[in-house]
Amino acid sequence: MPNTLTTSYLKDSIFKPGLFEGKVAFITGGAGTICRVQAEALVLLGANVAIVGRSPEKTEKAAKEIQELRSGSKVLGLGNVDVREVKNVQQAVEKTVKELGKIDFVIAGAAGNFLSDFNHLSSRAFKTVIDIDLIGSYNTAKATFEQLRQNKGHIIFITATLHYYGLPMQSHASAAKAGVDALARSLAIELGPSGVRSNLIAPGPIENTEGFERLLPPDTIERALKNIPLQRTGTTQDIADTTVFLFSNASSYITGETIVVDGGQWQTGSTMSIAGLYPEVIVAQNEDKPKI
Ligand code: COA
């Protein structure tokens, strides 16, 4: 399955062309593998989009490529934006409103993760992931709120299923994503009366993504796949389709909810490869001098 969408999406998907005509989306992490395909689906279906990221080259290149998917579309690539700094995000929002007129849809997708056992996870490393995933999501909601309120918009947070159970090597990301879930649900309650929806998408193992490569070493993939009830990895299009459903009116009575897109993986318990090696691998790590 290719990692990007083409115009055949308009023919093959159940969604109608022009569904998002006149809408504008703001996507953090929009040059990354998952959020880029979310941007592509929205553009193909008529929206204009701003993608923001840390690397100017990667972000601008992705924006150019996405813009080519639909003639007449506008796709802004805003680099040098670190979601850990609310001012950075605010500036990106201002540029988006100036160039594209407004913001209706927001995806808080920027994230950072790696495998590390607790003993080797420094305090700075833990804080880094909390800062990117949780504070970054807050900053994205904060900086876009005025636009969301004005346009009765919708924010989708990208979360995970890591924290649904205790998972080794993921204390940092699990804590961050648990916070993101709580944030999104509180915002659904607070912003609902102003016409703003707040939902979450929790991707499972999505093939050809940075997360997949970082979290599932090649020698563990076969074993991990057996623990997915639908017996396949997810695709970026699976996430894009869920995004389109959520931003469309078909979900207009849904807020404060998480849609888990993982082939049923989390229901089978702690399926990460390391779980099969538990506890020996972790016990060995615990013997080292703690990294502070
Ligand atoms: N294991 C343990 N600690 C790690 C680590 C790993 N694999 N990778 C980074 N760290 C630690 C660093 O050692 C540092 O802590 P220290 O100074 O106490 O040693 C801390 O994390 C910050 O690292 P740094 O590289 O300075 O952070 P950064 O802000 O430049 O990058 C990351 C953030 C670490 C999350 C980086 O991996 C990143 O930019 N990721 C973005 C993309 C991504 O992760 N996508 C996957 C989504 S699933």
Side-chain angles (χ1 to χ4, degrees):
M1 186 85 185
N3 225 21
T4 54
L5 297 181
T6 64
T7 47
S8 69
Y9 183 69
L10 291 174
K11 207 162 31 77
D12 302 335
S13 95
I14 63 157
F15 304 112
K16 63 176 182 198
L19 182 65
F20 295 132
E21 209 179 311
K23 299 289 187 189
V24 176
F26 180 88
I27 305 178
T28 69
T33 33
I34 287 188
C35 297
R36 174 186 171 137
V37 179
Q38 293 177 295
E40 289 172 351
L42 298 178
V43 167
L44 281 163
L45 294 167
N48 288 329
V49 169
I51 58 171
V52 304
R54 273 188 290 171
S55 156
E57 298 79 30
K58 186 178 167 191
T59 311
E60 285 161 23
K61 181 172 178 284
K64 266 197 196 114
E65 289 166 1
I66 299 169
Q67 185 166 276
E68 279 166 20
L69 286 173
R70 180 173 56 80
S71 113
S73 69
K74 281 193 198 161
V75 180
L76 284 187
L78 305 172
N80 291 318
V81 181
D82 191 327
V83 292
R84 289 173 279 196
E85 300 297 331
V86 72
K87 286 219 157 61
N88 272 203
V89 190
Q90 254 181 323
Q91 283 161 2
V93 166
E94 281 163 18
K95 273 189 206 153
T96 304
V97 174
K98 192 162 170 241
E99 302 278 330
L100 304 181
K102 60 172 181 163
I103 295 169
D104 305 280
F105 303 145
V106 176
I107 298 175
N113 197 7
F114 44 78
L115 288 175
S116 175
D117 66 280
F118 171 73
N119 194 32
H120 293 92
L121 183 75
S122 70
S123 168
R124 182 162 175 263
F126 184 83
K127 184 174 180 302
T128 297
V129 173
I130 297 286
D131 279 347
I132 299 173
D133 292 21
L134 177 55
I135 308 293
S137 294
Y138 167 86
N139 287 342
T140 302
K142 176 60 79 173
T144 55
F145 177 53
E146 220 174 314
Q147 281 297 310
L148 287 170
R149 187 177 55 194
Q150 244 173 56
N151 302 314
K152 300 204 183 308
H154 187 173
I155 181 163
I156 294 175
F157 296 86
I158 304 302
T159 181
T161 59
L162 309 166
H163 51 296
Y164 292 3
Y165 35 73
L167 196 60
M169 315 287 256
Q170 286 286 271
S171 59
H172 43 310
S174 299
K177 294 300 193 185
V180 171
D181 287 8
L183 170 69
R185 288 203 300 268
S186 286
L187 293 189
I189 308 298
E190 285 197 38
L191 311 187
S194 299
V196 177
R197 290 198 286 145
S198 165
N199 285 297
L200 299 123
I201 294 175
I206 306 297
E207 65 193 21
N208 300 321
T209 60
E210 204 178 331
F212 192 90
E213 276 157 28
R214 281 179 183 234
L215 305 180
L216 281 173
D219 57 330
T220 65
I221 288 174
E222 200 181 323
R223 212 187 141 273
L225 274 179
K226 288 194 175 142
N227 281 322
I228 301 172
L230 293 184
Q231 298 290 296
R232 70 166 177 92
T233 47
T235 65
T236 45
Q237 188 177 330
D238 288 324
I239 306 299
D241 285 341
T242 307
T243 307
V244 173
F245 164 68
L246 279 178
F247 280 148
S248 77
N249 284 338
S251 72
S252 64
Y253 203 46
I254 298 176
T255 195
E257 272 305 325
T258 305
I259 301 193
V260 178
V261 187
D262 74 340
Q265 185 204 31
W266 85 266
Q267 309 275 3
T268 64
S270 181
T271 55
M272 241 175 88
S273 51
I274 188 73
L277 307 171
Y278 184 82
E280 291 79 3
V281 167
I282 298 296
V283 169
Q285 301 297 330
N286 289 347
E287 300 300 318
D288 286 347
K289 186 175 183 297
K291 187 179 180 200
I292 309 289

